[in-house]
Amino acid sequence: MPLDDQTPTPQQFASDNYAGICPEAWAATQAANAGSMPAYGEDPWTARAADAFRDLFDKPDAQVFFAFNGTAANALALASLCQSYHSVICAASAHVETDECGAPEFFSNGSKLLVAPTENGKLTPAAVRALATGRSDIHFPKVRVVTITQPTETGQVYTLAEIRALSAACRDLGLRLHMDGARFANACASLGCAPADMTWRAGVDLLCFGGTKNGMAAGEAILFFDPVLAEDFGYRCKQAGQLASKMRFLSAPWVGMLEGGAWLRHAGHANACARRLAEAVADLPDWRAMFPVEANAVFLAADPERLEALRACGWRFYTFIGGGARFMFAWDSDPARVDALARDIGSLSRRAA
Amino acid sequence: MPLDDQTPTPQQFASDNYAGICPEAWAATQAANAGSMPAYGEDPWTARAADAFRDLFDKPDAQVFFAFNGTAANALALASLCQSYHSVICAASAHVETDECGAPEFFSNGSKLLVAPTENGKLTPAAVRALATGRSDIHFPKVRVVTITQPTETGQVYTLAEIRALSAACRDLGLRLHMDGARFANACASLGCAPADMTWRAGVDLLCFGGTKNGMAAGEAILFFDPVLAEDFGYRCKQAGQLASKMRFLSAPWVGMLEGGAWLRHAGHANACARRLAEAVADLPDWRAMFPVEANAVFLAADPERLEALRACGWRFYTFIGGGARFMFAWDSDPARVDALARDIGSLSRRAA
Amino acid sequence: MPLDDQTPTPQQFASDNYAGICPEAWAATQAANAGSMPAYGEDPWTARAADAFRDLFDKPDAQVFFAFNGTAANALALASLCQSYHSVICAASAHVETDECGAPEFFSNGSKLLVAPTENGKLTPAAVRALATGRSDIHFPKVRVVTITQPTETGQVYTLAEIRALSAACRDLGLRLHMDGARFANACASLGCAPADMTWRAGVDLLCFGGTKNGMAAGEAILFFDPVLAEDFGYRCKQAGQLASKMRFLSAPWVGMLEGGAWLRHAGHANACARRLAEAVADLPDWRAMFPVEANAVFLAADPERLEALRACGWRFYTFIGGGARFMFAWDSDPARVDALARDIGSLSRRAA
Amino acid sequence: MPLDDQTPTPQQFASDNYAGICPEAWAATQAANAGSMPAYGEDPWTARAADAFRDLFDKPDAQVFFAFNGTAANALALASLCQSYHSVICAASAHVETDECGAPEFFSNGSKLLVAPTENGKLTPAAVRALATGRSDIHFPKVRVVTITQPTETGQVYTLAEIRALSAACRDLGLRLHMDGARFANACASLGCAPADMTWRAGVDLLCFGGTKNGMAAGEAILFFDPVLAEDFGYRCKQAGQLASKMRFLSAPWVGMLEGGAWLRHAGHANACARRLAEAVADLPDWRAMFPVEANAVFLAADPERLEALRACGWRFYTFIGGGARFMFAWDSDPARVDALARDIGSLSRRAA
């Protein structure tokens, strides 16, 4: 069978991982494919990508590492802040808790995740404080890290003030603050702030910056804003199977994403598609937005029959959060296709009848 | 700086990881980049790639998994065969022992590698038997697995008879046989045998088939010839950060490599370049081939001054094995550049004087 | 300072770990201290202790191992049933979740504990089924084991019917059933049933039988009712630092406990002391039993002032479960001292006024 | 069967773990068994034992922890100094390498042991330096710790000068120095020096001080001479199943051993028994001392027939080191029985004929 006979199906919004590689990442990969280059990150593309991060974050001494995927990036980051007998505070809906198959526990050799009750997946200083001070005896893992997801799995964005309040609580409690930024670009586009303002200037110690959902084939960057925390982290990546031999193909796409601002444009587009859908269905009876639409996610609650009927129209989506339909938009989301989705949803509301 | 200003340096043979992406892998990646597709391996490319492996190995029930790199593939494979209190027999020069930063120990939570004395990195039934029966008390990790590298790190190829003899010893001792095939294609090209003959028909339980050195950007396949051994292996990959979200970009290149036979052509080319160099320098005084050239590696011993002089000519190479110069050839190795290397080496021998 | 100047304080009921070594365990230790004996369990005491367990459980092929403490016994047992990417269902109040500092996660290299909502710490088939079937995708640890604590941390005892119903659910779901029997003897004394009836005849696969709280200095037994599950478990114990070199001193006390029935007498005494207290305070206003008293624990709720006043009387107790006062009785609990506690409690109720 | 019908066999010298509990440890255990006491180390015996160590080592700020056995103590200690991607230099005959079933790798989640070639199990600064500087790339675990066994497994004792030279090399290389003192008392008795001189004053960071072989039922002490290194170590012990609930029975025996000097007397007696045997057989033909007798071990080489004949006389011994017969003496070794052994050996030499 010829390669191009593998025809794709019509665009779906079940996940922002359904999107392909954006042109900027593609072009950089193509450019990086010219000739022979040193392996394991000693190539010029890797240095250039790390510099691009340091520039973007206005932090010349940031330490930058590249991992293959977000599960690994988060798990490596948390493991570097914890010993096996420590624990990590996260929201109940955090990806590290719900969708990484125990990777944080595995990479750290047993660190426990302590789940805080939250609204919309956002931790609060009070919730952190309660969990961090609830136990202080040797029979329970000592809290060492707080991890927040920005934006959250349901598409809410922490404000700068909220992040600062959390990091103040962390400092007060002797904890480190990690940010799972699988969709970091979407949060930046949403708040319109500088990456530095949302991270190290707000007290974040360690960021996992997601490239996959942003338009790359694969790849996440791990940024240590305090270089001391990065000690021997390269060994950790290597031992955990996260050091690419032909590293240029993991790093060059970042050059393509960052240097011309594609990372932010793509995220802004995805966010706009989410708002487009949300606005189109805002006033429909029978369908209800489950969360404010602040990034690239839209969650719609409806009765099971309507959800089933929407599936019957050919739409693919998950319902693992609260039973509602999740739609995630990406760099390549086609507004016409968003509109088609909105129309189908509309046709399944009483107004249509 | 425009992307294409990142000019590559002249081709080097320090590592077969210095090569870029071959045209067949590139074309498949490009084809796979059309439109929207399900994530985490539920796309058609991943199914097609797995089928291509099953066809190639003439084993319809083989279970196929894709990992990002060889360190992870080996470590996941060994961990699936071991508990933490088990041990793995390997050659002293095995990559798992010398160049994976303790990944097998990490993924398995402590399995010990037992290093056998070998010539050219090839294990023998006698060496396996000696290590496997040396200790049988509870104070030492129980041997469970033998791992062989085909071809070895110094470029030797196990014959089919040798593999069969090892697997017979393994069966006799109750051990599993794992093959690290980071350069599996080069071994196939060297022996001219069917992949099945070198693996499951010869008693190999589990193979890591290397794609990176064969011409891909990244990616190794893990093949279980006994499906029972693959139970829950998908969870293991996920937890260890080795499940790609946009899986099609890890699997489609395999379609490009396997369906048209590029995997074998590229390996044959690399092997031929190694022989070309070896033959060109065979009769030189002052330079000596350290190992028979059976795959894509050439190791040349010379005095330190000559090695230094060769570096001064602009050649990059490692000397970590026995102090000799290692040259590794890849799918893209340019025969003219091989000849240039041979000339420079020749100019550094007494004959030149 | 002479050794016997270290005078003990008056008896407290804060924990059944506050008790010393019972006469039967002491006598066996003394007898075992005669002369020279092989180490690491090759002594006659260890064989005799294992036989005593096989007799007690009417299970000649049970495999018996000895660990130093309950945290290790539970963690080793669970790790033997799980891989790192599996998960374990337990009650929210289970010791493995709340008081073992992440030992199960550590020994298993990352297995996740899934906490079921329960009343009184007792799991139900429905709760197990809900957790075991809630997720079936590769992104969440696969459920493999259910662990129950008999009696629970709050002193409730599963009936035989309840255990059988749980094990039926486990079989149906392909799960193993582990019993944390840190106070197993108290449950036997409470139900008046044979150990076999409460365990393997009811479908329990693996039991941790507590010796420490039963009257020994230290030591728990791990009983595999299915010998196949015990494969290589001795290596696991050794690697995890749980193989005693002078094993006779860990095994002989079990001979003292089991052969003459002391294990059951002591547990019966402890249970009786709990009932004695419970009955003495049953009708007091201001104090309320938080849980039915079915084993050796009494939990009493009262307002903070009264609890503080009780402490001021010299009584030591924990309030980590629901804020109430926990009293745990042991083989050596002095009924007169129980009465003294009851009197002090009575004096702090309105009736006293 | 009455408890005291379990008659011991005649004394053997196969292992110093064959000995029972010495009177001083017994008496302290008995004294500690009076009444009710707080658990988990909050009892007065545990504080007193820790103070006894601080006094003995003349180090008021030493941090002291108690583990159940030597394998756990060593593994916990090394894990506290390492991350999973670090490595530990040890001698080829070190117990951590040969007889702990991979415990160091398990507790540390994968740290590799790097084995140095040694004579008599003693590391040298040159051997340490060679291993520590041999690899500096990210593909091999970074060296972080050196562990020495004092005395070695073959009974050699490092001089103070040798320890100081090793610690100087460690400081120079940025490494920590750990001492496995399973028979620490025997080394002290041999050198006649203060414990401080052999440890922290000589640059040792962390000591595992063996109680079991010294005359206790079980128990090792872990001493951190730099309190900073002990941070959160209590959590580590708890999570690893090494926190005794009835801690007094693990700590009180140390009071009995240390306060009156029994630890040193017993070790001196054991050493004297070793010398007694060594001297008695020194001039025999056919038997040869394999190592200088500097502690409580005697290794005798002889032809297999003679070893077999000695076994036929009823003597039990191991031959796992170099094929010779190992004899280990303990606090209870009976000089008359040592003489009987010497006579039997003598009768198996040509002189006897």
Side-chain angles (χ1 to χ4, degrees), chain A residues 254-323:
Chain A
W254 283 112
V255 175
M257 299 298 287
L258 300 185
E259 286 190 354
W263 72 281
L264 194 60
R265 283 194 307 277
H266 290 326
H269 171 79
N271 290 358
C273 289
R275 283 196 309 272
R276 186 181 187 105
L277 175 65
E279 286 163 12
V281 304
D283 299 323
L284 291 180
D286 306 315
W287 295 85
R288 181 179 52 81
M290 297 168 67
F291 304 98
V293 175
E294 299 172 10
N296 66 325
V298 177
F299 286 76
L300 296 177
D303 56 71
E305 292 72 27
R306 282 189 166 77
L307 294 176
E308 197 48 44
L310 189 58
R311 283 211 169 91
C313 295
W315 295 100
R316 191 170 172 144
F317 52 86
Y318 292 102
T319 57
F320 59 79
I321 294 187

Side-chain angles (χ1 to χ4, degrees), chain C residues 14-322:
Chain C
S15 168
D16 34 4
N17 283 324
Y18 280 32
I21 305 170
C22 70
E24 296 84 355
W26 184 266
T29 307
Q30 197 158 25
N33 198 26
S36 173
M37 278 191 197
Y40 298 113
E42 296 178 14
D43 64 283
W45 289 97
T46 301
R48 187 170 163 182
D51 284 342
F53 273 107
R54 284 186 276 259
D55 287 350
L56 182 64
F57 282 82
D58 196 17
K59 193 86 174 88
D61 65 343
Q63 296 292 305
V64 185
F65 297 85
F66 301 104
F68 289 112
N69 69 10
T71 293
N74 283 333
L76 288 166
L78 295 175
S80 78
L81 298 172
C82 278
Q83 295 293 314
S84 58
Y85 42 82
H86 289 148
S87 57
V88 176
I89 293 176
C90 67
S93 62
H95 200 261
V96 292
E97 167 68 11
T98 64
D99 283 286
E100 299 189 353
C101 199
E105 292 91 338
F106 175 73
F107 280 73
S108 66
N109 199 21
S111 300
K112 209 172 180 75
L113 300 185
L114 306 188
V115 169
T118 66
E119 288 186 21
N120 300 350
K122 283 163 83 169
L123 288 176
T124 61
V128 165
R129 195 171 296 274
L131 273 174
T133 58
R135 289 283 294 265
S136 62
D137 58 288
I138 211 168
H139 304 281
F140 198 73
K142 186 177 173 180
V143 180
R144 287 284 288 161
V145 186
V146 172
T147 177
I148 58 176
T149 313
Q150 173 75 326
T152 69
E153 282 69 18
T154 52
Q156 278 62 62
V157 178
Y158 286 90
T159 65
L160 300 192
E162 286 171 334
I163 298 172
R164 284 187 213 116
L166 278 166
S167 75
C170 287
R171 270 194 307 278
D172 189 40
L173 294 159
L175 309 179
R176 295 289 184 177
L177 183 56
H178 165 259
M179 181 180 280
D180 174 356
R183 298 179 182 97
F184 181 79
N186 300 93
C188 280
S190 179
L191 289 184
C193 70
D197 290 336
M198 205 197 288
T199 54
W200 63 273
R201 283 197 194 117
V204 171
D205 293 297
L206 194 38
L207 168 68
C208 295
F209 187 130
T212 316
K213 292 174 166 67
N214 200 201
M216 288 168 50
E220 316 282 302
I222 304 164
L223 278 80
F224 290 85
F225 299 114
D226 176 356
V228 171
L229 294 179
E231 190 190 346
D232 290 347
F233 192 76
Y235 288 88
R236 186 182 291 278
C237 294
K238 167 68 191 183
Q239 184 181 42
Q242 293 289 330
L243 177 65
S245 49
K246 295 182 177 175
M247 178 68 96
R248 55 172 149 162
F249 298 116
L250 198 62
S251 58
W254 283 112
V255 176
M257 299 298 287
L258 300 185
E259 286 190 354
W263 71 282
L264 194 60
R265 283 194 306 277
H266 289 326
H269 172 80
N271 289 359
C273 288
R275 285 196 307 274
R276 185 182 189 104
L277 176 65
E279 286 162 12
V281 304
D283 299 324
L284 292 179
D286 306 315
W287 295 85
R288 181 179 53 81
M290 298 168 67
F291 305 98
V293 175
E294 298 172 8
N296 66 325
V298 178
F299 286 77
L300 296 177
D303 58 68
E305 292 73 26
R306 281 189 167 78
L307 294 176
E308 196 49 44
L310 188 58
R311 284 211 168 91
C313 296
W315 295 100
R316 190 170 173 145
F317 52 86
Y318 292 102
T319 56
F320 59 80
I321 294 187

Side-chain angles (χ1 to χ4, degrees), chain A residues 124-147:
Chain A
T124 61
V128 165
R129 193 171 296 274
L131 273 174
T133 58
R135 290 283 295 264
S136 62
D137 58 287
I138 212 168
H139 304 280
F140 199 74
K142 185 177 173 179
V143 180
R144 287 284 288 161
V145 186
V146 172
T147 177

Side-chain angles (χ1 to χ4, degrees), chain C residues 33 246, chain D residues 19-29 214-217 253 256-257 262-263 266 331-332:
Chain C
N33 198 26
K246 295 182 177 175
Chain D
I21 306 171
C22 69
E24 296 85 354
W26 184 266
T29 307
N214 200 201
M216 288 167 51
M257 299 299 286
W263 71 282
H266 290 325
W331 67 272
D332 68 342

Side-chain angles (χ1 to χ4, degrees), chain D residues 81-221:
Chain D
L81 298 172
C82 278
Q83 294 295 312
S84 59
Y85 43 81
H86 289 148
S87 57
V88 176
I89 293 175
C90 67
S93 62
H95 199 261
V96 291
E97 168 68 12
T98 64
D99 283 287
E100 300 189 352
C101 198
E105 292 92 338
F106 175 72
F107 280 74
S108 66
N109 198 21
S111 300
K112 211 173 179 74
L113 299 186
L114 306 186
V115 169
T118 66
E119 290 186 22
N120 301 350
K122 284 163 84 169
L123 289 175
T124 60
V128 165
R129 194 171 297 274
L131 272 175
T133 57
R135 289 283 295 266
S136 62
D137 58 289
I138 211 168
H139 305 281
F140 199 73
K142 185 177 172 180
V143 180
R144 285 286 287 161
V145 186
V146 172
T147 177
I148 57 176
T149 312
Q150 172 76 325
T152 68
E153 282 69 17
T154 51
Q156 277 62 62
V157 178
Y158 287 90
T159 64
L160 300 192
E162 286 170 334
I163 299 171
R164 284 187 213 116
L166 278 166
S167 76
C170 286
R171 270 194 308 278
D172 189 39
L173 294 159
L175 310 179
R176 294 290 183 178
L177 183 56
H178 165 258
M179 180 179 280
D180 174 357
R183 299 179 181 96
F184 181 80
N186 301 92
C188 280
S190 179
L191 289 185
C193 70
D197 290 337
M198 205 198 286
T199 55
W200 64 272
R201 284 197 194 115
V204 171
D205 294 296
L206 195 38
L207 168 69
C208 295
F209 186 130
T212 315
K213 292 174 167 65
N214 200 201
M216 288 167 51
E220 315 283 303

